[in-house]
Amino acid sequence: MLEKGALYVVGTPIGNLGDFSPRGKEALEQADFIAAEDTRVTRGLLTHFGIRKPMLSYFEHNKLDRGETILARLQAGETCALVSDAGMPAVSDPGETLIAACAQRNIPVYVVPGPTAAISALAISGLPTGRFTFEGFLSVNKRSRREHLAQVAEETRTMIFYEAPHKLRRTLADFEACFGGQRQVAVVRELTKIHEEVWRTTLHEAAAHYREKEPRGEYVLVVQGAAQPAAEQEPCTLESAVEMARELAETGCSASEAAKRAAKATGQRKAEIYRELTQKQGKALPASVSTIK
């Protein structure tokens, strides 16, 4: 049973309704009401699973006023299931604002995990998955967009972006200009749907392709990170160069040859290495033993 007076964040399918979890279905059935990004979309989900439940819309342009309504009902003891049109609420979604408000008012929030396009696309991208950043949608505002791309221009982790079809061409062109045409990208389209497609290519090829072909469907763009900067090596000290020469001398090299090899490996001057090496060798010998050969 759901806890009274709590918000349940419920992940819904990103395409294939067969991906809806039994626990997600149960949460929608038991909630007192459902807050949906688009009630028309959610009604299709409810109808498919035979669920009848009161809904109210909660989306970007009404989230402040409608959020207060939801919070009041939660504080009165009702249970709300929050859903987006597809995937996890709060990820590039106004649910983020409602969840933050619940946290401020000590209203319990629980999650019912479900599919998410970002991680699903990353998993099949063929790009490194150990470290990544989620960048969401780029702003339509030219200045904000430019600032966003400038911030990630040298990002070495794999980057995940969402994009709508009508903005794809511009985004790919901006990526090519910012990241360079040879950067790898996985163009992931219509995940879990009939026309699912994963195209692994370069930013140059992707931008050129969609200049000629009309983009269709919802896209996730998984972009290769920038090359790791070459590690700056600590300059080798004279002391470490002499130690290297000493180890070489112990293997049978003459002092001169050992100093030569150590100089080549470390960038230190041979004469200085030789002087320090022979001085140390002389101190290591008993007084009765001459170092002159």
Side-chain angles (χ1 to χ4, degrees):
M1 293 293 294
L2 303 187
E3 180 180 327
K4 288 297 182 182
L7 178 70
Y8 284 80
V9 181
V10 182
T12 56
I14 58 178
N16 191 322
L17 295 180
D19 294 333
F20 198 35
S21 73
R23 185 166 170 245
K25 178 175 177 288
E26 182 179 83
L28 297 190
E29 289 172 334
Q30 294 182 8
D32 293 313
F33 67 100
I34 298 170
E37 184 178 5
D38 187 329
T39 56
R40 295 166 299 179
V41 173
T42 301
R43 186 170 291 110
L45 177 70
L46 298 182
T47 300
H48 181 83
F49 288 99
I51 301 171
R52 297 177 63 86
K53 191 66 57 173
M55 288 189 289
L56 74 165
S57 64
Y58 174 82
F59 57 92
E60 185 62 34
H61 300 296
N62 76 352
K63 65 183 181 181
L64 298 181
D65 291 339
R66 189 56 55 81
E68 288 300 321
T69 300
I70 296 170
L71 291 168
R73 293 180 67 172
L74 289 168
Q75 290 178 316
E78 291 189 75
T79 299
C80 174
L82 173 67
V83 298
S84 64
D85 287 350
M88 284 301 299
V91 180
S92 286
D93 176 84
E96 176 184 9
T97 303
L98 180 60
I99 293 165
C102 286
Q104 290 174 351
R105 302 190 192 191
N106 294 317
I107 295 172
V109 179
Y110 300 99
V111 65
V112 182
T116 173
I119 300 302
S120 300
L122 175 68
I124 60 175
S125 68
L127 292 170
T129 61
R131 300 186 67 196
F132 59 90
T133 69
F134 175 67
E135 301 297 330
F137 288 97
L138 289 175
S139 173
V140 295
N141 178 276
K142 187 178 293 185
R143 180 178 178 182
S144 298
R145 188 182 185 88
R146 186 166 57 245
E147 289 175 352
H148 187 161
L149 289 174
Q151 289 172 356
V152 298
E154 301 302 322
E155 175 60 68
T156 57
R157 294 169 292 184
T158 301
M159 295 174 284
I160 307 169
F161 295 85
Y162 285 164
E163 198 50 279
H166 65 280
K167 295 192 296 179
L168 183 71
R169 285 171 171 159
R170 179 184 174 189
T171 294
L172 288 173
D174 287 347
F175 282 178
E176 183 179 13
C178 180
F179 304 138
Q182 295 311 303
R183 191 81 70 89
Q184 294 292 308
V185 60
V187 181
V188 184
R189 186 175 73 90
E190 294 289 271
L191 270 170
T192 78
K193 300 172 187 171
I194 295 174
H195 300 294
E196 178 179 316
E197 178 183 45
V198 183
W199 182 31
R200 302 174 185 89
T201 185
T202 64
L203 287 174
H204 174 74
E205 290 295 330
H209 174 78
Y210 281 105
R211 280 196 293 270
E212 303 298 326
K213 182 178 180 180
E214 186 71 25
R216 297 184 184 281
E218 297 298 320
Y219 290 84
V220 183
L221 304 172
V222 187
V223 182
Q224 180 185 25
Q228 290 280 356
E232 295 185 6
Q233 293 185 344
E234 290 288 333
C236 189
T237 63
L238 176 60
E239 183 179 359
S240 59
V242 172
E243 179 62 21
M244 183 184 296
R246 185 189 65 76
E247 292 176 356
L248 289 168
E250 288 179 351
T251 66
C253 280
S254 67
S256 177
E257 179 63 22
K260 179 180 177 181
R261 293 187 186 182
K264 184 175 182 181
T266 64
Q268 294 289 335
R269 295 181 61 186
K270 175 187 173 183
E272 294 180 357
I273 298 172
Y274 181 80
R275 184 180 67 249
E276 293 291 325
L277 175 64
T278 53
Q279 285 178 354
K280 288 187 177 183
Q281 285 180 328
K283 291 176 182 178
L285 293 173
S288 60
V289 179
S290 172
T291 60
I292 301 174
K293 293 184 179 180

